[in-house]
Amino acid sequence: MSRPLVRWSLLGLSLLAFGAALPVARADVTAAANGESAPAEKPAEPEVPAEMLTPQAALEAFVKRMQANEKSSAAELLDLSQLSAVAADSRGADLAYKLFRLIPAVGDPPTQGGESEINPWYLQKEGSSAKVDFEKAESNPDYEQSWSLENWLLYSAPEAEQITIARDGVGRWRFSAETVAVIDPLYEQFEKRIDELAEKRAELTAANGDTTATETEPTETFGVWVRKQFPQSWRTTHFLLPTYQWLLLAAFIPLGWLADWLTRRVMTWIGDMLLFRIDPDFVEEHKTTAGVWQPVGRLANAAVWVFGARFIELSPTLTSILLNGLVIVTIVAAVLALFRVLDLVGDYFTRRAKRSSRQFDNLFIPLANSTAKIAIGVVGVIATIATFSDELPSTLLGGLGIGGIAIALASQETLSNFVGSITLLFDRPFEVGDYVKIDNVEGSIESLGFRSTRIRTPLDSEVTLPNSKLASSSIDNLGRRKYRRYLTLLGVEYSTTPERIEAFCEGIRELIRRHPHTRKDFYAAYLHNFGANSLDIQLLVFFEVPDYATELRERHRLLADVLRLAAELGVSFAFPTQTLYLQKGEKCEVPELSDETPDRSGARTAAKIAGELPNYQDRPGPVKFPGATQFE
């Protein structure tokens, strides 16, 4: 057995030791729910049931409910406020049964109307006038003190004084919390007497040939039945607990480990088998789902302890601590198990989205996963709070109403981020992997979360932007470009002849037409400007590529071809230079102007270069983009 499993299995025993050292802490709200502290504004008093109006009514209702085998209903007449909600639910019926058996063992309940061999406490036989005399019990609803059954029982033992019926803060008469606390010790003390009375009733019933008595008595609870399976000597308390309870707790260690191991093995087998059929990629990537089911195994281990602790009759104090601790452990294990399952499901849909063209899933799956985890975490917190009191969750919600304004102000940014994530999810201005530019941040989208979006920059740093800011920002999605523009100037030397410039520009356009990744319906390569040091040729081209890396590769191919073209045509690229001419006496030959005026001389020369003046219909039309030139 591994160390973590041993530590997990011994958690229950550790909680027992903690319970022996520390008292049970009670929440203030539990006290308030039972009328022990006055609220700031006195609410309307609840209506007290008729069976709780007086000590007599409470006692009579308790006995009749037990005779009808309604143990859970009879437990309502016990003040279980000192127990947690989990412990009260677990031990209520058991404590009611023990109290019913204990009362006639510490004294004789008074009867009236005749005599009966079997005390009418256990049976009201048809035709018999004997019945329990509840008239002698206290019937004053305004009785100021707790009322002890010692005042009602005949030939009562001194311990009967500890069994009292008290009125709580809202006027309900029930068996007091102090009585509930001593039921287990008194039952152990008088257990031999209780067994003797039971044997005597069985003998009288068998002698009379009447089985009605045993059929109408309340049935044993599971905890009492388990207790009776052990010898009387094992039921004696040694170091906080009876011996048989220590043995049962020790047995939970291997049982919990076995449940852990079996659960993980079975769930791993089922998970691997199902995933191998629906998602073979998972098996290739992760080999097995064993790691996913570890929290589920811990959950099964805790469940064994919780189930066992509910039926071995631990004291109310230890039951409260042990069950509360185990329930909290169970809730934590359940939350972790659900987290693992969500991760498993999320990974499956993520791999499925990668195999398809639906980029929306890449945004939705992480957001849905994180939202589900937050919801599960909130439910886990509320369930943990509910472990200590049934009233606490509703009181917490009431507190949210009182402090709603403060909470709304404190969570305004969180809520705005969540609303922003929903807006981005449905508006879909980008997908995972898109290269975007947002204000001063640019990079590739990595994930859209519940609160923020993560962007990987070209420097490989990760930038986190709140979703509320993204929802209100201008997003330049460069990743959705069909074409990627490239604009530059090619500077050639001033000594380049116009004919070579024409040939060079047409050669560049031909390179663009023959390039496999360029846009063929719009491009440009023309003499653009007379620069300070060069004749500038503007090159405008659009690359049809899926990503930036491919764009760089294809741009490299085009520019390398341009260099080869320039070398073939004898075109030299210019760079910032200055040429100094030193003239000695003789002047450079300059063509003489004609005898005409300078304006007419310039116009005549221009007309000679440009050719005849075309008509309106003969002027060149818009630029056309033909296909690649065919050569023989």
Side-chain angles (χ1 to χ4, degrees):
M1 188 185 303
S2 62
R3 256 182 221 174
L5 288 178
V6 172
R7 290 198 297 267
W8 191 275
S9 300
L10 293 177
L11 175 62
L13 298 179
S14 301
L15 289 171
L16 287 176
F18 176 76
L22 296 176
V24 181
R26 289 182 298 162
D28 293 339
V29 65
T30 305
N34 291 279
E36 296 175 9
S37 61
E41 187 174 327
K42 186 176 181 180
E45 294 186 1
E47 184 178 354
V48 179
E51 59 269 21
M52 298 182 186
L53 286 174
T54 64
Q56 175 186 331
L59 177 62
E60 184 174 1
F62 174 77
V63 174
K64 290 183 177 180
R65 291 181 183 182
M66 289 301 302
Q67 289 177 343
N69 201 29
E70 298 175 356
K71 293 184 284 291
S72 297
S73 178
E76 297 175 359
L77 295 162
L78 275 62
D79 185 358
L80 304 176
S81 61
Q82 299 294 327
L83 305 183
S84 66
V86 176
D89 178 66
S90 172
R91 292 295 319 275
D94 183 65
L95 292 171
Y97 177 84
K98 285 186 173 182
L99 179 60
F100 180 76
R101 291 298 190 194
L102 178 63
I103 290 176
V106 298
D108 293 337
T111 60
Q112 63 178 1
E115 296 183 357
S116 174
E117 294 179 343
I118 300 178
N119 195 301
W121 179 269
Y122 302 102
L123 171 66
Q124 181 65 44
K125 297 180 63 176
E126 295 184 4
S128 174
S129 59
K131 60 180 180 179
V132 178
D133 187 5
F134 295 106
E135 300 297 330
K136 295 182 179 180
E138 180 60 51
S139 59
N140 181 11
D142 298 326
Y143 192 74
E144 295 184 358
Q145 301 176 352
S146 61
W147 179 74
S148 174
L149 263 66
E150 181 186 27
N151 301 323
W152 179 68
L153 294 172
L154 304 177
Y155 315 111
S156 60
E159 289 78 5
E161 182 183 8
Q162 302 180 48
I163 304 177
T164 60
I165 299 177
R167 182 174 59 182
D168 61 17
V170 295
R172 295 175 300 182
W173 286 92
R174 296 181 297 176
F175 285 95
S176 64
E178 292 75 16
T179 299
V180 172
V182 299
I183 289 177
D184 281 331
L186 289 180
Y187 186 88
E188 181 179 336
Q189 179 181 346
F190 286 89
E191 188 170 13
K192 186 176 181 179
R193 168 68 175 165
I194 293 172
D195 292 341
E196 291 176 353
L197 291 176
E199 292 175 1
K200 182 178 180 181
R201 289 196 307 275
E203 292 174 359
L204 292 175
T205 302
N208 296 334
D210 185 5
T211 61
T212 306
T214 57
E215 293 175 355
T216 55
E217 288 183 8
T219 57
E220 294 177 343
T221 60
F222 185 77
V224 174
W225 178 84
V226 170
R227 182 185 181 91
K228 287 186 176 181
Q229 307 310 306
F230 294 89
Q232 180 67 40
S233 59
W234 289 21
R235 306 178 202 172
T236 305
T237 299
H238 296 91
F239 188 64
L240 302 178
L241 297 175
T243 303
Y244 83 95
Q245 291 184 358
W246 283 117
L247 293 175
L248 290 176
L249 289 173
F252 292 159
I253 296 177
L255 288 176
W257 176 84
L258 181 62
D260 185 344
W261 182 80
L262 285 176
T263 301
R264 288 188 288 109
R265 289 295 297 270
V266 171
M267 296 302 296
T268 299
W269 178 75
I270 295 176
D272 290 350
M273 181 179 61
L274 292 177
L275 284 175
F276 179 76
R277 292 184 177 180
I278 64 177
D279 187 17
D281 292 342
F282 176 85
V283 179
E284 296 178 1
E285 182 177 351
H286 299 277
K287 306 301 182 184
T288 179
T289 60
V292 177
W293 307 116
Q294 287 183 357
V296 181
R298 303 295 189 266
L299 179 61
N301 194 337
V304 170
W305 282 83
V306 171
F307 179 81
R310 291 176 66 93
F311 297 107
I312 62 174
E313 288 190 311
L314 295 174
S315 67
T317 299
L318 293 179
T319 299
S320 295
I321 293 179
L322 181 60
L323 284 180
N324 285 341
L326 289 174
V327 169
I328 292 173
V329 170
T330 302
I331 292 172
V332 172
V335 170
L336 293 178
L338 289 175
F339 281 2
R340 294 287 182 89
V341 173
L342 283 175
D343 289 338
L344 181 65
V345 175
D347 289 344
Y348 164 70
F349 282 105
T350 299
R351 288 188 297 274
R352 185 176 176 181
K354 289 180 179 179
R355 294 194 295 266
S356 66
S357 58
R358 295 178 301 177
Q359 296 296 325
F360 174 74
D361 291 346
N362 294 328
L363 286 177
F364 177 75
I365 293 172
L367 180 61
N369 199 336
S370 59
T371 303
K373 286 184 178 180
I374 291 174
I376 291 173
V378 171
V379 172
V381 171
I382 295 177
T384 303
I385 294 174
T387 300
F388 298 98
S389 173
D390 291 334
E391 302 291 336
L392 203 52
S394 58
T395 304
L396 178 62
L397 294 178
L400 291 178
I402 297 174
I405 297 177
I407 294 176
L409 293 175
S411 61
Q412 181 179 4
E413 184 176 354
T414 301
L415 292 176
S416 62
N417 285 327
F418 176 71
V419 174
S421 65
I422 298 300
T423 303
L424 294 173
L425 182 64
F426 287 98
D427 192 37
R428 298 173 62 184
F430 50 74
E431 310 286 354
V432 172
D434 284 354
Y435 194 88
V436 299
K437 186 174 182 180
I438 305 170
D439 295 336
N440 297 324
V441 178
E442 63 176 286
S444 299
I445 299 294
E446 285 205 332
S447 65
L448 172 64
F450 182 84
R451 190 197 72 85
S452 61
T453 297
R454 290 178 171 83
I455 299 176
R456 181 70 61 180
T457 68
L459 299 177
D460 200 37
S461 62
E462 185 180 77
V463 178
T464 301
L465 296 178
N467 290 332
S468 59
K469 180 179 179 180
L470 284 178
S472 59
S473 297
S474 176
I475 301 175
D476 185 5
N477 192 335
L478 303 177
R480 288 186 177 176
R481 294 176 296 177
K482 184 178 180 180
Y483 302 108
R484 296 169 182 255
R485 191 186 73 160
Y486 176 62
L487 176 65
T488 188
L489 293 176
L490 303 177
V492 299
E493 294 179 350
Y494 267 96
S495 60
T496 307
T497 64
E499 290 76 13
R500 290 186 183 276
I501 291 178
E502 291 282 358
F504 184 55
C505 291
E506 181 59 31
I508 294 175
R509 292 193 289 269
E510 185 66 24
L511 290 176
I512 296 174
R513 290 192 288 265
R514 291 177 178 271
H515 195 285
H517 286 280
T518 55
R519 182 178 180 179
K520 303 302 189 292
D521 60 346
F522 188 77
Y523 50 86
Y526 298 99
L527 183 60
H528 177 67
N529 188 33
F530 292 95
N533 302 288
S534 63
L535 296 172
D536 296 334
I537 298 174
Q538 186 180 75
L539 171 61
L540 173 64
V541 62
F542 291 87
F543 292 98
E544 189 175 5
V545 289
D547 51 50
Y548 186 63
T550 307
E551 178 187 356
L552 291 178
R553 185 191 68 191
E554 300 307 321
R555 187 190 298 181
H556 169 86
R557 177 190 298 187
L558 177 63
L559 295 180
D561 289 344
V562 170
L563 290 175
R564 295 187 184 98
L565 176 65
E568 290 288 336
L569 296 178
V571 175
S572 299
F573 292 98
F575 48 90
T577 59
Q578 288 183 346
T579 302
L580 180 63
Y581 291 96
L582 297 178
Q583 185 175 351
K584 293 182 179 180
E586 297 181 359
K587 297 183 179 179
C588 297
E589 295 184 1
V590 179
E592 295 291 338
L593 295 177
S594 63
D595 296 336
E596 300 174 303
T597 62
D599 290 347
R600 289 190 62 83
S601 178
R604 184 181 300 276
T605 304
K608 181 179 178 181
I609 295 173
E612 295 182 2
L613 181 66
N615 296 324
Y616 179 82
Q617 294 83 1
D618 298 332
R619 67 178 182 175
V623 176
K624 296 182 179 181
F625 300 93
T629 305
Q630 301 296 327
F631 300 96
E632 296 182 359

